[in-house]
Amino acid sequence: MKKTSDSVIEKNYQVAKETYAALGVNTDKAILKLSKIPISLHCWQGDDVGGYENTGTGLTGGIQATGNYPGKARTPDELRSDLEMVYSLLPGKHRLALHALYAETGGKRVERTDLRPEHFNNWIGWAKNQKIGLDFNSTFFSHPKSASGFTLSHRDAGIRKFWIEHGIACRRIGDAMGRQLGTPCVNNVWIPDGYKDIPIDRKTPRELLEKSLDAIFAEKLDPRFHLDSVEPKLFGIGSESCVIGSHEFYLAYAAKNKTLFCLDAGHFHPTEVISDKISAVLTFLDEILLHVSRGVRWDSDHVVILTDELEAIAAEVVRNDYLDRVHIGLDFFDASINRVAAWTIGTRCMLKALLIALVEPTAKLREFEIKEDFTSRLAMLEELKTLPVGAVWDYHCAQQGVPVGSRWLDEVKHYEAKVLSKR
Ligand code: RNT
Ligand code: ZN
């Protein structure tokens, strides 16, 4: 296929710029703003949430990566190489979210309670070189001590203690990351705890979970380097009837304890959307974390694409001026396609959705709404959908020195032939 030439990209941009200017939108400003929004890429798309710890349990916790596309990253070095490829295809500077099971322990078995910042030295050094920030997640799954499906809310005090110590160790790691990289590390807690079938007692495990979280968060950490976040969900595989860390539980916990709250797009009833929840929770909370994902019929963690909901999420963040209060992270894992492409598609779509929001004539739409002219509001929203935002996106990519249009795919195919297929 013939590729768009630079002069066409430039010409198309000038037309688009005039089109948007007629609506009072400055596209130069929009792309400048977009270039400063970091997306936190999730390391676990690169190896199907496997990690390099080898506890022998495989992936547990009621989440699942399906597919066996060749080329998955078998070592942290391979994962970093794949990530460098992805970052080279994205306009802007982004971040990386790690999970505790991506520690590098030099071949020694280090228990999760004993993980220390030094086990992430390679990651931190690499992040410094790449000039990217790191976020973190403690790992409460894929471990013999989570085999019962319970961790921080387990009735056994010994098991709870183990996971509390893991949580504490991870906060120190996150704090070290934040200090060394000079940007706050968002440290997210998600636990799988829950019952497959109808429990008699939902109260005791929730009370235990509160106590465990309090113990983990007891040590005060400087928010300039470290931010705590808690992530609820509706159900998992094997926890269909009751999840201990449910929405109400964590929303109340976050409000009371001033932690961040994580909204994962796949963690609600299928007709519920997180776009509608952002302003609701930010009326009361200072900051939130997003796990942008795409559930297909269930919390399936499909690759993020440019859906109406993705556009709505971006629009909520941009229209309400929440960019400083919303940490945008991704959370999907597809093992059925090229994993580097999966990351690239999802992140580029997230950025495109933000761009669409940034070139929206929001003031005009707001005016219609205030005047109760809902006819004009609807009409304009629909007209906006076919404006030439693609030309603005292409120009932005060209300006940032990253592939325009589907050219990125050629690079991924080349990388696949040269690197991934040899694994
Ligand atoms: C699980 C949560 C959680 C995980 C990652 C791997 O349903 O979404 O965020 O996907 O921690
Ligand atoms: Zn998530």
Side-chain angles (χ1 to χ4, degrees):
M1 207 167 41
K2 226 171 142 268
K3 306 291 179 188
T4 327
S5 73
D6 289 353
S7 66
V8 172
I9 293 167
E10 173 74 43
K11 222 165 58 200
N12 286 346
Y13 178 66
Q14 290 312 326
V15 174
K17 186 174 166 167
E18 271 180 49
T19 311
Y20 282 104
L23 292 166
V25 173
N26 183 326
T27 50
D28 289 337
K29 275 197 185 145
I31 55 182
L32 181 67
K33 202 158 180 188
L34 181 64
S35 70
K36 294 183 180 148
I37 306 177
I39 308 296
S40 188
L41 275 70
H42 52 312
C43 75
W44 51 96
Q45 164 58 53
D47 73 332
D48 317 337
V49 211
Y52 303 109
E53 189 187 21
N54 291 323
T55 50
T57 63
L59 176 58
T60 73
I63 54 178
Q64 213 162 68
T66 51
N68 55 358
Y69 198 87
K72 104 170 161 192
R74 297 162 303 178
T75 63
D77 281 329
E78 288 184 354
L79 191 58
R80 283 188 281 268
S81 152
D82 293 356
L83 281 161
E84 283 175 30
M85 183 67 213
V86 178
Y87 288 125
S88 77
L89 304 172
L90 305 173
K93 262 276 156 235
H94 302 289
R95 304 174 62 87
L96 179 70
L98 281 166
H99 236 290
L101 77 175
Y102 291 79
E104 287 170 272
T105 57
K108 269 194 287 150
R109 175 95 183 89
V110 175
E111 201 34 280
R112 293 210 188 150
T113 47
D114 303 328
L115 288 172
R116 298 289 174 263
E118 71 232 36
H119 300 124
F120 291 87
N121 273 350
N122 288 348
W123 284 109
I124 297 171
W126 174 81
K128 252 186 214 154
N129 276 331
Q130 301 286 316
K131 300 192 171 61
I132 62 170
L134 291 177
D135 297 309
F136 201 57
N137 296 261
S138 22
T139 312
F140 294 94
F141 52 87
S142 302
H143 189 281
K145 284 211 166 23
S146 68
S148 67
F150 283 79
T151 61
L152 293 177
S153 72
H154 203 293
R155 282 168 189 270
D156 181 302
I159 303 242
R160 287 202 306 281
K161 182 165 176 280
F162 175 87
W163 290 112
I164 290 168
E165 285 174 9
H166 174 59
I168 291 172
C170 286
R171 287 182 83 230
R172 294 189 178 149
I173 294 165
D175 182 64
M177 288 174 169
R179 281 173 195 277
Q180 292 188 47
L181 297 168
T183 164
C185 170
V186 178
N187 198 341
N188 184 50
V189 168
W190 170 73
I191 62 166
D193 301 30
Y195 286 109
K196 178 186 176 84
D197 224 325
I198 308 154
I200 299 305
D201 181 1
R202 296 166 192 262
K203 171 173 172 266
T204 305
R206 287 188 168 132
E207 289 176 353
L208 290 172
L209 177 54
E210 186 200 10
K211 286 206 179 74
S212 295
L213 291 169
D214 286 351
I216 290 177
F217 298 141
E219 184 178 2
K220 286 275 157 275
L221 295 177
D222 188 333
R224 284 177 305 162
F225 306 117
H226 182 277
L227 297 166
D228 292 299
S229 163
V230 290
E231 180 181 11
K233 81 191 274 186
L234 175 65
F235 82 97
I237 301 170
S239 60
E240 290 84 353
S241 300
C242 171
V243 163
I244 307 306
S246 58
H247 308 305
E248 293 74 10
F249 178 90
Y250 277 128
L251 184 55
Y253 190 88
K256 181 175 174 192
N257 297 285
K258 309 240 174 288
T259 70
L260 275 65
F261 180 65
C262 174
L263 285 171
D264 182 308
H267 286 192
F268 294 84
H269 287 276
T271 61
E272 258 183 292
V273 283
I274 63 164
S275 52
D276 185 47
K277 302 179 189 298
I278 294 171
S279 60
V281 302
L282 282 177
T283 304
F284 302 97
L285 305 180
D286 292 339
E287 293 178 39
I288 58 170
L289 169 66
L290 297 183
H291 267 186
V292 182
S293 190
R294 178 170 57 107
V296 177
R297 305 195 189 280
W298 71 289
D299 180 25
S300 57
D301 289 296
H302 276 63
V303 177
V304 164
I305 57 172
L306 195 54
T307 56
D308 287 352
E309 171 58 3
L310 188 70
E311 288 190 43
I313 291 168
E316 282 298 315
V317 175
V318 171
R319 283 176 191 154
N320 298 316
D321 227 348
Y322 283 149
L323 281 163
D324 292 339
R325 297 171 60 193
V326 176
H327 302 260
I328 306 174
L330 304 175
D331 184 10
F332 53 79
F333 25 100
D334 190 336
S336 75
I337 61 172
N338 180 308
R339 295 170 184 79
V340 171
W343 258 321
T344 310
I345 294 166
T347 317
R348 283 176 67 113
C349 283
M350 183 71 245
L351 292 167
K352 279 184 202 170
L354 288 162
L355 177 62
I356 292 169
L358 288 164
V359 296
E360 179 187 86
T362 310
K364 192 79 215 150
L365 288 162
R366 218 182 269 282
E367 216 178 284
F368 291 144
E369 191 158 286
I370 292 164
K371 286 199 216 128
E372 296 181 12
D373 181 359
F374 304 137
T375 311
S376 302
R377 182 183 63 184
L378 183 65
M380 184 156 194
L381 279 171
E382 288 310 297
E383 288 307 318
L384 292 174
K385 286 185 179 170
T386 45
L387 289 188
V389 72
V392 182
W393 169 252
D394 285 351
Y395 179 78
H396 175 56
C397 288
Q399 289 278 298
Q400 296 272 317
V402 303
V404 171
S406 60
R407 280 184 210 169
W408 66 264
L409 185 58
D410 302 341
E411 296 195 23
V412 172
K413 291 279 183 192
H414 179 72
Y415 184 73
E416 177 164 30
K418 229 184 66 197
V419 181
L420 301 178
S421 68
K422 309 256 160 69
R423 287 181 185 166

